[in-house]
Amino acid sequence: MAVETYTIYPTNKYNRAPPPSTVALHGLDVFNPPIQIHNHRFFHRPTSATSDVIDKLKSSLAEALELYPPVAGTVQTNEKGDVYIAMDAENILGTPFLVDMKDTPYAGDAEYLSPRTVMLLPPSSSTLAVKVTQFSCGTMAVAASINHQVTDLRGFLDFLELWAQLTRGEPVDFTRIPDDWTHTPGRFFSGLTRESTGSTPPPPPPPFKVLPTPATGPPPYLLVPSEVSRWKFTKSSMEQLKSDFSPSASEGHKSDLWISSGDALAALVCGVITRARENANVARLQGRSSLESEVEEVAMAADGRNRSPQGNISGRYFGNFNTLWSTAVSRPDLLSPTCDSASRVALAIRAGLNLQLSPEAIADKISFFEDPQNTKPPGRIDLSADLILTNWCRFDLQGPKLDFGWGKPFCATAGGGTVFPPGYCMMTQEKDSGDVSVMMTVELEGVDGLKADSLLNKYATPVLAH
């Protein structure tokens, strides 16, 4: 059966105040290329007829698009190079909604389930795209992708949760919908951000630098082919990992030093990738730390919403609030597959996090991305790191808020088949079990060493591809 394609337009049901016709994107938005954030969710067979399920998903999506106008708009660039979301009638091109009825049973996640599989979205692409796939066994996959320049994962989930709420037929909680669509994160850090003075700007916050001229492409090390490796950490193994990596007072550490489970996991995966590269003699291409530095630069994504002086502002800001931070970690510690060395790495990560995710540090980063001396011409802000980590464990990707009315997802992923650079790691958690899934990448020559790493295999089991 051929894939059916529909185009969904926003309704006019709620009589909300009209949004601005355009919203300028922030530096935190355009630092991302126009890639996609994918969300694939898998459900057991709905009790209603498939045609009724599809019709309900389409009608509720139209309502969600009305309540989240930026998702119905398109990203545009003017003659000055300024990037913005166009939300006037002329630029509401409709959201593609694909339906695929398979004559084969569900066999796990796959790239073809995504509504679009290109790496970079062409100009004037729809911000959102959706694909619903039903397998012969009744399992239903609902996959969506959104332009990362429009929002980050937290904003995407806010929209998806609203769509699910509308599909369930529940009343809308308008206090959970932004009343200001402008991409101005500094308004949540009042009194801490600074205006550009026109004089010499302060030094860039790590892990960023400002190039004299716009970059013509990513650094060479990011373009090297990599292989994905997936691992499962049970709740009990995560607890053991944190216990083993926590500083011990008997070893001369202060007893009040504390690391989180996330710190321990980050320390482990950074060591695993570093050892795999070292043992395979992976070349240190441009963008990597030098051999003489004796450190590896670790960059991590972090949501700034719950670090505002106003408290957690989730649901009030739609855009990118990902305040990337980084820390330099001892290479000798990373190369040593022992708990003592990993403990020191975890402490370094915790110290870097505490310092760089303070409200003052986040405000400085917002100011950095707003200063015309850094953003004009665009493309001069650059980032380089040996390891890049994304921790999605705080987000419930398959909880009751994402139930369309026939039960919550039994599985959720960040999509299948996506190409990732080497030295990248993504972590997700299943809230019901507490198990953590980790996706890691390394250059092809380092794959065997990564899979055989003694410390990794002590706590995790490999997840084999379907």
Side-chain angles (χ1 to χ4, degrees):
M1 180 178 177
V3 177
E4 297 180 355
T5 303
Y6 304 88
T7 304
I8 310 300
Y9 293 92
T11 59
N12 293 301
K13 177 178 178 179
Y14 293 95
N15 298 313
R16 300 275 282 171
S21 59
T22 63
V23 167
L25 293 188
H26 192 268
L28 289 171
D29 300 310
V30 296
F31 181 72
N32 300 297
I35 58 176
Q36 304 170 72
I37 305 175
H38 294 272
N39 178 268
H40 291 189
R41 283 167 288 149
F42 300 88
F43 302 84
H44 295 300
R45 182 196 297 270
T47 54
S48 302
T50 300
S51 58
D52 294 339
V53 169
I54 299 299
D55 288 344
K56 184 62 175 175
L57 287 173
K58 290 191 294 184
S59 62
S60 57
L61 177 60
E63 293 184 28
L65 291 171
E66 177 189 352
L67 295 173
Y68 267 76
V71 182
T74 55
V75 174
Q76 305 283 350
T77 306
N78 64 21
E79 62 280 358
K80 298 179 181 179
D82 299 322
V83 188
Y84 61 96
I85 305 171
M87 296 183 287
D88 54 320
E90 182 181 345
N91 285 288
I92 298 177
L93 307 179
T95 295
F97 188 103
L98 287 64
V99 177
D100 189 8
M101 306 298 291
K102 309 296 291 185
D103 58 6
T104 54
Y106 166 70
D109 197 15
E111 185 178 27
Y112 74 83
L113 297 175
S114 178
R116 47 193 180 186
T117 56
V118 294
M119 175 66 70
L120 295 175
L121 292 174
S124 299
S125 296
S126 62
T127 293
L128 178 76
V130 174
K131 184 176 183 181
V132 178
T133 303
Q134 186 162 43
F135 297 92
S136 61
C137 60
T139 296
M140 184 167 284
V142 180
S145 75
I146 198 165
N147 187 335
H148 200 344
Q149 290 191 323
V150 173
T151 194
D152 53 19
L153 176 66
R154 180 63 267 170
F156 190 20
L157 289 176
D158 288 343
F159 174 81
L160 293 175
E161 289 171 1
L162 172 68
W163 179 22
Q165 184 179 28
L166 291 166
T167 311
R168 295 193 301 268
E170 297 175 2
V172 176
D173 180 2
F174 287 101
T175 65
R176 293 286 300 164
I177 298 175
D179 54 14
D180 183 346
W181 296 108
T182 61
H183 285 215
T184 51
R187 69 181 187 266
F188 299 105
F189 289 78
S190 179
L192 297 178
T193 56
R194 50 180 165 73
E195 296 287 335
S196 174
T197 62
S199 60
T200 303
F208 301 102
K209 60 183 176 182
V210 180
L211 305 174
T213 58
T216 56
Y221 89 95
L222 288 178
L223 301 177
V224 176
S226 66
E227 183 167 324
V228 169
S229 176
R230 300 181 189 276
W231 300 81
K232 175 65 67 70
F233 292 76
T234 65
K235 179 181 179 180
S236 59
S237 66
M238 284 295 300
E239 292 169 348
Q240 187 65 51
L241 178 71
K242 179 183 176 183
S243 174
D244 291 348
F245 285 15
S246 291
S248 169
S250 64
E251 295 174 356
H253 293 292
K254 293 182 180 179
S255 60
D256 62 347
L257 288 178
W258 176 85
I259 62 168
S260 69
S261 297
D263 300 334
L265 184 57
L268 175 65
V269 299
C270 288
V272 169
I273 296 172
T274 303
R275 290 190 290 273
R277 285 171 156 174
E278 179 78 8
N279 294 335
N281 294 313
V282 171
R284 290 186 170 274
L285 301 178
Q286 179 188 344
R288 295 281 311 280
S289 298
S290 68
L291 184 63
E292 297 75 25
S293 69
E294 285 293 295
V295 299
E296 300 287 301
E297 291 288 343
V298 180
M300 301 188 192
D303 183 15
R305 289 173 178 80
N306 62 344
R307 296 175 171 89
S308 162
Q310 300 182 19
N312 192 338
I313 57 168
S314 290
R316 294 171 56 197
Y317 186 80
F318 187 73
N320 283 278
F321 220 132
N322 176 12
T323 56
L324 274 166
W325 64 280
S326 75
T327 191
V329 178
S330 161
R331 189 180 300 135
D333 279 338
L334 289 166
L335 291 175
S336 172
T338 66
C339 293
D340 284 349
S341 295
S343 176
R344 290 191 290 271
V345 173
L347 281 173
I349 289 170
R350 170 52 44 180
L353 187 153
N354 287 339
L355 179 65
Q356 295 186 42
L357 294 185
S358 68
E360 294 77 13
I362 292 175
D364 282 345
K365 197 159 292 185
I366 292 170
S367 302
F368 168 75
F369 273 98
E370 292 177 349
D371 193 330
Q373 295 181 91
N374 302 325
T375 60
K376 304 292 184 181
R380 292 170 54 233
I381 296 178
D382 190 36
L383 171 152
S384 61
D386 298 282
L387 303 142
I388 301 175
L389 277 57
T390 299
N391 187 346
W392 285 6
C393 288
R394 60 188 291 259
F395 302 114
D396 191 352
L397 302 182
Q398 56 192 85
K401 290 184 178 180
L402 293 166
D403 175 5
F404 283 116
W406 60 79
K408 67 177 187 174
F410 68 80
C411 179
T413 76
T418 306
V419 177
F420 296 99
Y424 178 78
C425 175
M426 176 183 286
M427 314 165 198
T428 59
Q429 185 177 43
E430 184 181 90
K431 296 300 182 182
D432 285 349
S433 66
D435 293 351
V436 174
S437 297
V438 171
M439 184 278 293
M440 282 187 284
T441 65
V442 72
E443 292 83 353
L444 298 181
E445 58 265 43
V447 170
D448 290 343
L450 184 149
K451 292 180 178 179
D453 189 271
S454 59
L455 208 56
L456 174 63
N457 283 278
K458 178 179 177 181
Y459 300 100
T461 54
V463 177
L464 302 179
H466 292 278

